[in-house]
Amino acid sequence: AQAVFLNGQGGRLSVRSVERLIQGYGLRAGIVATVTPHALRHSFATHLLEMGADLRVVQELLGHVSLSTTQRYTHINIDHLSRVYDQAHPQAKGGGN
Protein backbone atom coordinates (compact mmCIF):
# COMPACT_ATOMS: atom_id res chain seq x y z
CA ALA A 1 0.00 0.00 0.00
CA GLN A 2 1.18 3.49 -0.77
CA ALA A 3 1.94 5.90 2.06
CA VAL A 4 -0.42 8.84 2.46
CA PHE A 5 2.09 11.03 4.32
CA LEU A 6 5.70 11.23 3.20
CA ASN A 7 8.87 12.56 4.79
CA GLY A 8 11.23 15.05 3.15
CA GLN A 9 12.98 12.25 1.27
CA GLY A 10 9.72 10.85 -0.15
CA GLY A 11 9.58 7.86 2.19
CA ARG A 12 7.00 6.86 4.76
CA LEU A 13 6.84 8.86 7.97
CA SER A 14 8.01 6.89 10.97
CA VAL A 15 5.96 6.69 14.17
CA ARG A 16 8.57 8.82 15.90
CA SER A 17 8.44 11.44 13.12
CA VAL A 18 4.68 11.76 13.55
CA GLU A 19 5.12 12.12 17.33
CA ARG A 20 7.76 14.85 16.83
CA LEU A 21 5.58 16.70 14.32
CA ILE A 22 2.53 16.65 16.60
CA GLN A 23 4.59 17.75 19.61
CA GLY A 24 6.07 20.58 17.54
CA TYR A 25 2.64 21.75 16.37
CA GLY A 26 1.46 21.66 19.98
CA LEU A 27 4.35 23.85 21.08
CA ARG A 28 3.74 26.26 18.20
CA ALA A 29 0.11 26.49 19.33
CA GLY A 30 1.28 27.42 22.83
CA ILE A 31 0.37 24.08 24.43
CA VAL A 32 2.92 23.35 27.13
CA ALA A 33 1.61 19.88 27.95
CA THR A 34 2.93 16.95 25.95
CA VAL A 35 0.78 16.42 22.87
CA THR A 36 0.81 12.90 21.42
CA PRO A 37 -1.02 11.10 18.63
CA HIS A 38 -2.83 9.09 21.32
CA ALA A 39 -3.92 12.30 23.09
CA LEU A 40 -5.37 13.58 19.80
CA ARG A 41 -7.16 10.26 19.23
CA HIS A 42 -8.57 10.34 22.77
CA SER A 43 -9.69 13.97 22.36
CA PHE A 44 -11.33 13.13 19.03
CA ALA A 45 -13.33 10.30 20.61
CA THR A 46 -14.22 12.33 23.69
CA HIS A 47 -15.50 15.30 21.68
CA LEU A 48 -17.57 13.06 19.43
CA LEU A 49 -19.19 11.41 22.44
CA GLU A 50 -19.77 14.75 24.18
CA MET A 51 -21.52 16.03 21.06
CA GLY A 52 -23.86 13.04 21.08
CA ALA A 53 -22.20 10.64 18.65
CA ASP A 54 -23.29 7.04 18.97
CA LEU A 55 -20.73 4.88 20.77
CA ARG A 56 -20.83 2.30 17.94
CA VAL A 57 -20.00 5.01 15.37
CA VAL A 58 -17.03 6.14 17.46
CA GLN A 59 -16.00 2.48 17.76
CA GLU A 60 -15.94 2.16 13.98
CA LEU A 61 -14.07 5.44 13.46
CA LEU A 62 -11.38 4.40 15.92
CA GLY A 63 -11.14 0.93 14.42
CA HIS A 64 -11.85 -0.90 17.67
CA VAL A 65 -12.96 -4.51 17.38
CA SER A 66 -14.52 -4.53 20.84
CA LEU A 67 -17.05 -2.00 22.09
CA SER A 68 -15.52 -2.34 25.58
CA THR A 69 -12.30 -0.82 24.22
CA THR A 70 -14.26 2.20 22.98
CA GLN A 71 -16.17 2.47 26.26
CA ARG A 72 -12.91 3.35 28.03
CA TYR A 73 -13.27 6.75 26.39
CA THR A 74 -16.63 7.32 28.11
CA HIS A 75 -15.51 7.15 31.75
CA ILE A 76 -14.39 10.77 31.76
CA ASN A 77 -17.76 11.86 30.39
CA ILE A 78 -20.07 10.54 33.12
CA ASP A 79 -20.69 14.02 34.61
CA HIS A 80 -21.24 15.51 31.16
CA LEU A 81 -23.56 12.70 30.13
CA SER A 82 -25.53 13.11 33.37
CA ARG A 83 -26.00 16.83 32.67
CA VAL A 84 -27.13 16.15 29.10
CA TYR A 85 -29.54 13.49 30.36
CA ASP A 86 -30.96 15.86 32.99
CA GLN A 87 -31.45 18.59 30.37
CA ALA A 88 -33.17 16.18 27.98
CA HIS A 89 -35.28 14.57 30.73
CA PRO A 90 -36.13 17.26 33.30
CA GLN A 91 -38.34 14.86 35.29
CA ALA A 92 -35.28 12.67 35.92
CA LYS A 93 -33.51 15.39 37.95
CA GLY A 94 -32.80 14.56 41.55
CA GLY A 95 -32.51 10.84 40.88
CA GLY A 96 -36.06 10.10 42.08
CA ASN A 97 -37.99 7.07 40.83
Side-chain angles (χ1 to χ4, degrees), residues 2-13:
Q2 286 186 304
V4 175
F5 301 104
L6 304 175
N7 62 24
Q9 290 75 41
R12 293 176 178 271
L13 284 177

Side-chain angles (χ1 to χ4, degrees), residues 6-77:
L6 304 175
N7 62 24
Q9 290 75 41
R12 293 176 178 271
L13 284 177
S14 69
V15 170
R16 183 64 190 128
S17 293
V18 173
E19 290 173 349
R20 273 195 305 269
L21 285 168
I22 290 174
Q23 182 64 32
Y25 291 134
L27 291 172
R28 286 173 52 188
I31 301 170
V32 293
T34 301
V35 180
T36 64
H38 180 74
L40 292 177
R41 182 178 165 88
H42 185 84
S43 294
F44 170 72
T46 299
H47 288 297
L48 286 174
L49 292 169
E50 286 178 346
M51 297 304 294
D54 183 85
L55 189 60
R56 294 240 181 234
V57 171
V58 175
Q59 173 191 7
E60 185 173 334
L61 289 171
L62 294 177
H64 292 158
V65 174
S66 169
L67 189 60
S68 64
T69 303
T70 309
Q71 285 176 320
R72 287 186 299 158
Y73 289 93
T74 65
H75 77 277
I76 64 168
N77 293 322

